[in-house]
Amino acid sequence: MRLEHTHEHRIRPSTNGSSVNGSSPHTNGSSAKSTETNGYHSNGHAEGAVRQHDASPFYGHDREEVTRILLQSLSDLGYHGAAKHLSSESGYELEIPSVAAFRSAVQQGQWDEAEALLSGHEAVELDGGVLLGNGHGHARRSKSRASFGSQNGYARQGLPLAETADTTHLKFLLRQQKYLELLDNRELNAALNVLRNELTPLKRDIGRLHALSSLMMCQSASDLRIQAEWDGAEGDSRRQLLSDISKSISPSVMIPEHRMATLFSAVQDEQILGCRYHNTIAQPSLYTDHECPAEDFPLQTFKELRNHSDEVWFVEFSHDGSMLATAGKDGLVCLYDTRNYALRHEIREHDRNLSGDTTKGVCYVAFSPDDQYLISCAQNNEFVVISVRDGRRVAHGDHFDYPVTAAAWLPDSQTFVIGTQGSRRPLGLYSLRSAAGTSSSSSSVVRNNEIHSWRDPPWDDSGPADNHNSFRITDCAVNPDGSRLVATTIDKRILMYDLRSRAKIAEWAMDDRLTSICFGVDGAQLLINMYEGRVLALSAVTGEVLMQYEGAQQAEFVIRSRFGGAGDNFVVSGSEDARVYVWRRQTGVLVAALEGHAAGGGTVNAVAWHPREGVFASAGDDRRVRM
């Protein structure tokens, strides 16, 4: 709403048919013929006589709050007539007049007026500056502006703000939008005036001021929008500005956006967390309380795979869920088609380089992100990369002096990390592309193509004996976007590296031996296994313990756990008591301790959750893989 130079109360035509505290189809500064500014009232005054408020509680809730949230939701849904009728019948309004006027001023690009309404007119008097007219022009602002007057609902002290609100920051946001729109209209002199006389005096965010200043050099509006990552007045920028500022206005006068939907989501999230067997990304119905039946959760074995002749140490699904790879002490890697779990390939690549029957065990396998290749890491001090299409060997590494224990692919499906228990090459980056630049698609096998080593200190044959000491790796993982590498060491440390700079960026000392580590699907959390049966979720940024999952046993052997299920909502782990343990990730509540491998005895070594179906696989000392 634009304030005139009189005390007369004038009604401004609407710029939208719904509350921008909800969704607004028109926020580009164009006036509509309707006189509704919030979807159902003019300047906050309902049409007709206002009924006496009913102050009685609504089933224990404040009636005014419930009614105003309903008003906002009806506008969000597009039911503006119903909102108008509810306001008239209840006597409650969604917003006080000054908030409605502030919203209208932002929507129409009336920046001086918006700032006056936000801060109170006495706090924003300027000696000059730019006043945008309907978002398109500019004019000098009168120094002796008329009082905003309480009769129009504009408090002299401005809008009521939240306790944590930063008024200077809010002014910066308004003036920044004003500056960008002037640049967008190629009104460069006016924009420069705003930059020098309105933004700079706020003394906020010098780096941002420099960035805004550099935008003066943009040659066109399109260039400006690209450089500023901003979509213009006719885009979503004004609505987003309102959304950002609304977070700092007292919710008692400006209800947070989409409040009812937020409350519904909170109820659904709470019910999901309280549902032990919730294994779907579908939101529960609002009509009834939610509880998934146990029958919908994978608690029963439906398939056993018995192709291994000795302990099965590792199991992994492909990223698209179409294949399952298993590996074990017998040196065999089995590749199954998950449509019927028929054996696709039986791979014995590690039989070529035996140093004894007891050293051929395959302890790790990993599919490339495009599911074209599979790495297998073996106790006979080598790794092999095969093509899953035909089982052909495409890369090989055998320049290690200790077992190769772990592997992790980068997103390009051509480079990967190898971890070993050797001190000479404990952690290295390898490529399927040969030194000549040819890809693994060629007929030749790429051999020992290490392109970077994270050994600390670097290996030096001529150096002192203590130069040969370095960390040794038990497991490693790369986050989903390929920016971070994390590794666990025999000496109880977690090492974090930036894969772009290849520099170490974090190191966390733990109090017991680590045997497994992996990232969650969003890269924000790490999951580790430690001796004494500890399964922990850690922050991938700080290393802080976020959750401990209790029940599994581990005192002697390598045990692996994984995030899994719909939305990564579960943690599943093997255990030395022949059970598979499943917990809720967010709460640590034990969902099940499954006896699937108990009959055969021994340890459950590894687990993997199907990426698209509600099933998981477990590998045990009983020589079986159970689904």
Side-chain angles (χ1 to χ4, degrees):
M1 183 183 111
R2 181 180 177 84
L3 297 178
E4 305 299 331
H5 293 284
T6 70
H7 294 277
E8 181 183 358
H9 181 186
R10 300 189 183 184
I11 296 175
R12 185 193 195 99
S14 170
T15 62
N16 67 332
S18 64
S19 169
V20 181
N21 239 346
S23 57
S24 172
H26 303 293
T27 59
N28 295 332
S30 59
S31 297
K33 292 182 179 179
S34 168
T35 58
E36 299 166 8
T37 62
N38 240 346
Y40 62 90
H41 69 275
S42 302
N43 265 346
H45 298 289
E47 290 185 1
V50 177
R51 291 188 55 180
Q52 183 70 28
H53 290 170
D54 181 354
S56 61
F58 175 75
Y59 295 96
H61 299 282
D62 184 280
R63 180 174 292 269
E64 179 181 355
E65 290 185 358
V66 172
T67 305
R68 292 179 63 214
I69 289 172
L70 283 172
L71 289 169
Q72 183 196 62
S73 300
L74 288 170
S75 292
D76 283 355
L77 291 165
Y79 304 143
H80 309 300
K84 182 178 179 180
H85 182 76
L86 175 58
S87 177
S88 176
E89 185 171 4
S90 68
Y92 291 113
E93 300 164 0
L94 175 58
E95 295 172 342
I96 62 174
S98 56
V99 171
F102 173 75
R103 180 188 304 283
S104 179
V106 172
Q107 290 169 351
Q108 297 228 7
Q110 302 290 344
W111 304 117
D112 283 18
E113 184 173 328
E115 188 170 323
L117 288 160
L118 178 68
S119 303
H121 73 284
E122 291 180 341
V124 296
E125 291 295 345
L126 301 173
D127 292 332
V130 179
L131 173 63
L132 297 182
N134 291 326
H136 300 294
H138 67 277
R140 290 287 176 183
R141 179 179 179 175
S142 171
K143 192 171 181 179
S144 58
R145 189 178 181 91
S147 169
F148 298 146
S150 60
Q151 71 270 32
N152 276 344
Y154 312 133
R156 183 176 295 272
Q157 67 272 23
L159 298 180
L161 300 180
E163 291 183 2
T164 58
D166 183 340
T167 304
T168 304
H169 176 66
L170 299 181
K171 291 179 183 178
F172 189 94
L173 294 178
L174 286 169
R175 296 177 188 183
Q176 175 181 254
Q177 179 77 11
K178 177 180 181 179
Y179 169 74
L180 290 173
E181 291 193 13
L182 286 168
L183 282 182
D184 196 42
N185 291 331
R186 311 310 295 159
E187 298 182 45
L188 302 184
N189 290 334
L192 183 60
N193 185 44
V194 172
L195 181 66
R196 288 177 174 175
N197 299 322
E198 298 186 32
L199 281 165
T200 302
L202 294 176
K203 299 178 181 179
R204 280 300 181 93
D205 199 345
I206 302 303
R208 179 59 179 164
L209 277 175
H210 290 164
L212 290 173
S213 177
S214 69
L215 298 176
M216 292 289 297
M217 306 302 295
C218 293
Q219 299 300 309
S220 64
S222 59
D223 184 31
L224 166 71
R225 297 183 186 197
I226 293 171
Q227 296 299 323
E229 298 181 349
W230 176 77
D231 63 359
E234 72 277 11
D236 198 45
S237 63
R238 291 183 182 176
R239 189 209 64 80
Q240 186 59 50
L241 175 64
L242 265 174
S243 177
D244 293 339
I245 292 178
S246 69
K247 296 179 177 67
S248 296
I249 297 177
S250 173
S252 65
V253 298
M254 193 171 191
I255 301 172
E257 286 186 304
H258 317 301
R259 185 59 183 162
M260 183 175 288
T262 300
L263 293 173
F264 285 160
S265 296
V267 170
Q268 289 176 321
D269 290 344
E270 184 177 356
Q271 293 198 355
I272 288 172
L273 287 177
C275 177
R276 174 172 291 190
Y277 302 115
H278 189 84
N279 190 28
T280 174
I281 59 174
Q283 288 290 93
S285 171
L286 294 171
Y287 290 137
T288 60
D289 292 339
H290 174 73
E291 185 176 1
C292 292
E295 293 76 20
D296 292 346
F297 198 79
L299 298 174
Q300 305 296 326
T301 301
F302 71 89
K303 186 77 174 181
E304 283 190 358
L305 307 177
R306 304 186 181 187
N307 290 85
H308 288 277
S309 60
D310 211 327
E311 298 170 1
V312 187
W313 288 344
F314 205 90
V315 60
E316 182 84 348
F317 283 101
S318 61
H319 296 83
D320 64 3
S322 66
M323 294 173 284
L324 174 71
T326 64
K329 188 175 181 179
D330 56 6
L332 177 66
V333 176
C334 295
L335 196 60
Y336 299 90
D337 186 328
T338 58
R339 289 175 296 183
N340 51 15
Y341 290 95
L343 188 64
R344 178 185 290 189
H345 295 298
E346 193 173 80
I347 302 162
R348 298 185 180 273
E349 287 291 324
H350 298 283
D351 287 349
R352 300 188 190 185
N353 184 28
L354 291 181
S355 56
D357 289 343
T358 61
T359 62
K360 66 180 180 179
V362 179
C363 53
Y364 206 100
V365 293
F367 284 97
S368 62
D370 63 4
D371 293 327
Q372 297 300 306
Y373 304 107
L374 181 73
I375 298 176
S376 58
C377 304
Q379 287 189 323
N380 63 349
N381 308 344
E382 69 172 358
F383 73 82
V384 173
V385 182
I386 66 160
S387 166
V388 299
R389 182 176 58 85
D390 54 15
R392 173 178 57 87
R393 177 185 288 203
V394 297
H396 180 221
D398 61 356
H399 58 171
F400 309 102
D401 54 353
Y402 275 84
V404 180
T405 54
W409 288 90
L410 272 65
D412 64 358
S413 295
Q414 292 292 307
T415 49
F416 52 92
V417 176
I418 293 293
T420 82
Q421 292 183 359
S423 62
R424 181 163 188 167
R425 292 185 175 88
L427 191 64
L429 184 65
Y430 289 76
S431 176
L432 295 184
R433 301 180 181 92
S434 66
T438 57
S439 175
S440 58
S441 59
S442 62
S443 59
S444 61
V445 176
V446 177
R447 187 168 179 267
N448 293 330
N449 190 23
E450 185 182 42
I451 59 178
H452 180 75
S453 173
W454 280 282
R455 190 186 191 281
D456 185 18
W459 182 267
D460 183 0
D461 285 322
S462 63
D466 61 3
N467 175 268
H468 294 176
N469 295 323
S470 179
F471 54 76
R472 299 167 187 257
I473 299 301
T474 58
D475 201 3
C476 66
V478 171
N479 69 345
D481 68 6
S483 63
R484 297 287 187 268
L485 162 67
V486 67
T488 55
T489 69
I490 288 179
D491 60 353
K492 307 175 186 177
R493 289 182 292 160
I494 299 175
L495 309 177
M496 179 83 76
Y497 297 90
D498 185 314
L499 280 171
R500 297 184 176 93
S501 67
R502 298 178 182 173
K504 184 168 72 173
I505 57 176
E507 178 178 324
W508 305 309
M510 309 303 287
D511 58 6
D512 215 326
R513 187 172 179 180
L514 298 146
T515 62
S516 171
I517 192 165
C518 66
F519 280 97
V521 70
D522 61 359
Q525 292 188 16
L526 296 166
L527 185 66
I528 62 171
N529 281 75
M530 298 172 62
Y531 275 19
E532 303 302 325
R534 281 183 286 176
V535 183
L536 305 177
L538 310 179
S539 164
V541 176
T542 65
E544 175 189 2
V545 176
L546 303 176
M547 187 62 63
Q548 180 164 343
Y549 307 97
E550 298 180 347
Q553 297 181 19
Q554 182 180 6
E556 185 177 359
F557 301 111
V558 173
I559 302 294
R560 302 185 189 276
S561 60
R562 288 290 184 267
F563 293 114
D568 256 10
N569 282 329
F570 296 92
V571 169
V572 59
S573 179
S575 176
E576 290 181 7
D577 62 1
R579 292 184 174 92
V580 177
Y581 286 81
V582 185
W583 302 269
R584 287 303 303 268
R585 176 178 63 85
Q586 300 92 333
T587 63
V589 170
L590 181 65
V591 175
L594 304 176
E595 304 280 354
H597 294 263
T603 299
V604 179
N605 301 298
V607 290
W609 206 297
H610 193 289
R612 298 184 180 178
E613 298 178 6
V615 300
F616 56 83
S618 58
D621 282 357
D622 60 357
R623 308 179 182 184
R624 298 177 183 179
V625 175
R626 297 178 184 267
M627 310 301 301

